[in-house]
Amino acid sequence: MRVAIGADHAGFLLKEAIKRALATLAVEVEDLGTGSADSVDYPDFAARVARGVAAGTYDRGILVCGTGIGMAMAANKIAGVRAAPVVDADTARLARAHNDANVLALGARVTTPDRALEIVRVFLDTPFEGGRHQRRVDKISGLERC
Ligand code: RB5
């Protein structure tokens, strides 16, 4: 699995921790920035990761900011991206199983590092259930043309 990861200054340290954790799994991770805790604008990094996922360069994206909210809002502007701001393992599982989320948005200021790593593992391991959920996801995609 190819995963793109990005963060703003608020998410920088958690991004680094996630990269270290993913290095122990069979996951190919590409870091699309930011590269330090200096202040930056989260939409710039959301766009890099979201465009890469939409283009098929990456299977999944992980974005980290203070809350996960701004990253998800920005990433969801890119057609083909379904970014979910996730706060626990259960919402991570459902974002994959029901919504086929392809981008995970985490909030470094609202979750602990341990919980964030658990969320990442669940997000990467949970398959989409398809079935009735496929019809609904197709309707989300249809809204991109409105
Ligand atoms: C940056 O201070 C903060 O606003 C950003 O990381 C994020 O939480 C936005 O949604």
Side-chain angles (χ1 to χ4, degrees):
M1 183 184 288
R2 293 157 306 158
V3 175
I5 191 164
D8 70 356
H9 51 286
F12 170 70
L13 285 178
L14 181 55
K15 169 172 71 68
E16 297 304 301
I18 293 169
K19 274 167 44 187
R20 285 194 295 276
L22 291 182
T24 66
L25 305 175
V27 176
E28 196 182 307
V29 189
E30 188 149 354
D31 184 350
L32 302 185
T34 186
S36 77
D38 294 344
S39 184
V40 291
D41 297 332
Y42 60 82
D44 299 335
F45 299 91
R48 285 185 196 175
V49 169
R51 287 191 175 119
V53 171
T57 308
Y58 309 104
D59 302 302
R60 305 268 170 85
I62 299 172
L63 289 166
V64 194
C65 63
T67 60
I69 294 171
M71 284 293 200
M73 286 180 170
N76 279 321
K77 296 294 182 188
I78 305 299
V81 166
R82 290 176 300 281
V86 165
V87 293
D88 56 25
D90 220 35
T91 48
R93 182 180 60 77
L94 289 166
R96 286 289 312 134
H98 288 193
N99 310 113
D100 198 17
N102 51 14
V103 172
L104 169 67
L106 287 168
R109 292 174 178 161
V110 297
T111 190
T112 62
D114 282 351
R115 176 171 289 188
L117 295 177
E118 182 191 13
I119 289 170
V120 167
R121 273 191 288 273
V122 170
F123 183 78
L124 297 181
D125 285 351
T126 305
F128 177 47
E129 280 179 13
R132 68 187 187 282
H133 302 296
Q134 182 65 61
R135 182 178 69 248
R136 295 160 186 167
V137 168
D138 289 344
K139 287 187 176 184
I140 294 176
S141 303
L143 295 173
E144 291 171 349
R145 296 187 290 274
C146 294

